[in-house]
């Protein structure tokens, strides 16, 4: 729970997906983008960019096309002096072979375009209230943190209130998926269960064969594959406990090589930051 809290506040078992590549087109308008934006498609398993474009923006309008080998999540963020402004950002599932038309501002986003995205807009409405409640709650915690509210106080608030909010979202997702096992949109909504991959996997097994083999299924399958890899790595790390850490060398803030072994005998705290993590960069 703590790991999730700090990941969100300060910083998203392979089942044999059938890769269905193709062009993905996104057009629309999102208020506040300014005169330039960065558009990135992120792999659901690695959470790293698979492709990206920096685009000029006129009247908040976006028009991009990507060749995708598998489904991912497209992020569009305003550029401020060459740096992404994560306060003005939108995210949309990017499905090969589909085209999405969008419009919005802040958390208010409307989708359309191909039939898949028309259906997805209807599906999103069924989980909109609990999902927005989570977004508003997390934003309030960020604001309180910026105002200097003690971290332990925020942590207590999170542990008391977040599980209730997430349970409401989970129930809404399950209700939709179980009622629509033959709709591709169910495969997309399953991504909302990423904090409970066992539940995600069990629910995915109820989807129709066609949906499980659809391009959109890459979204939840990537999350399951990442979770499996993480579990395997945790098991491996347990076997390393109490042994010397593997040596490595990286550049320090002055551009000079610094080896971990050079600090032997001293207390060392290592903080790993992801280059793809918006909050880390910020």
């Amino acid at each position: 729970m703590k790991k999730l809290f700090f990941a969100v506040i300060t910083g998203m078992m392979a089942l044999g997906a059938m890769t269905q590549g193709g062009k993905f087109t996104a057009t629309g308008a999102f208020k506040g983008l300014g005169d330039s934006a960065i558009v990135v498609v992120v792999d659901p398993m690695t959470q790293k960019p698979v492709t990206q474009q920096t685009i000029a923006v006129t009247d908040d309008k976006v028009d991009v096309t990507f060749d995708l080998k598998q489904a991912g999540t497209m992020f569009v963020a305003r550029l401020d002096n060459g740096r992404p402004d994560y306060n003005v950002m939108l995210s949309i599932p990017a499905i090969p072979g589909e085209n999405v038309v969008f419009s919005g501002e802040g958390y208010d986003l409307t989708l359309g375009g191909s039939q898949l995205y028309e259906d997805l807009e209807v599906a999103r409405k069924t989980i909109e209230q609990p999902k927005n409640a989570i977004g508003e709650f997390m934003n309030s915690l960020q604001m309180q943190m910026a105002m200097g509210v003690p971290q332990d106080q925020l942590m207590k608030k999170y542990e008391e209130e977040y599980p209730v909010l997430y349970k409401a979202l989970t129930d809404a997702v399950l209700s939709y998926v179980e009622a629509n096992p033959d709709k591709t949109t169910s495969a997309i909504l399953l991504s909302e269960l990423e904090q409970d991959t066992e539940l995600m996997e069990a629910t995915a097994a109820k989807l129709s064969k066609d949906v499980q083999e659809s391009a959109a299924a890459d979204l939840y399958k990537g999350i399951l594959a990442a979770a499996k890899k993480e579990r395997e790595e945790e098991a491996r790390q347990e076997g390393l406990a109490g042994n010397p850490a593997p040596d490595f060398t990286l550049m320090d803030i002055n551009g000079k090589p610094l080896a971990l072994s050079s600090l032997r005998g001293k207390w060392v705290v290592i903080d790993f930051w992801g280059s793809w993590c918006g909050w880390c960069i910020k």
Side-chain angles (χ1 to χ4, degrees), residues 100-168:
V100 63
V101 178
F102 61 88
S103 63
E105 178 180 11
Y107 288 106
D108 184 14
L109 183 66
T110 301
L111 303 181
S114 60
Q115 189 59 53
L116 173 61
Y117 286 100
E118 295 285 350
D119 293 343
L120 181 58
E121 178 62 14
V122 175
R124 289 171 69 245
K125 292 297 183 183
T126 67
I127 67 169
E128 184 175 50
Q129 184 175 350
K131 187 168 184 177
N132 286 350
I134 289 177
E136 292 169 2
F137 175 67
M138 300 309 294
N139 280 342
S140 72
L141 292 183
Q142 291 179 19
M143 292 176 63
Q144 292 176 67
M145 178 176 285
M147 293 169 61
V149 176
Q151 201 171 70
D152 58 347
Q153 183 176 328
L154 294 178
M155 185 65 198
K156 183 174 184 296
K157 184 178 181 66
Y158 175 85
E159 291 179 332
E160 291 175 348
E161 299 183 30
Y162 183 83
V164 177
L165 295 172
Y166 184 69
K167 176 66 163 52

Side-chain angles (χ1 to χ4, degrees), residues 38-50:
I38 184 169
V39 185
V40 183
V41 178
V42 174
D43 183 292
M45 177 179 175
T46 65
Q47 291 297 293
K48 295 183 179 180
V50 294

Side-chain angles (χ1 to χ4, degrees), residues 168-212:
L169 175 61
T170 297
D171 289 346
V173 171
L174 292 178
S175 178
Y176 179 88
V177 173
E178 291 174 358
N180 300 279
D182 57 345
K183 285 187 174 292
T184 305
T185 46
S186 290
I188 298 176
L189 257 59
L190 272 182
S191 298
E192 300 290 346
L193 303 179
E194 63 180 339
Q195 295 171 29
D196 188 344
T197 53
E198 290 185 3
L199 178 60
M200 179 189 289
E201 187 173 6
T203 307
K206 300 177 182 179
L207 297 175
S208 68
K209 185 174 184 294
D210 286 345
V211 173
Q212 291 184 33

Side-chain angles (χ1 to χ4, degrees), residues 46-62:
T46 65
Q47 291 297 293
K48 295 183 179 180
V50 294
T51 185
Q52 67 183 55
Q53 294 180 21
T54 298
I55 62 172
V57 178
T58 303
D59 297 329
D60 296 319
K61 294 180 179 177
V62 173

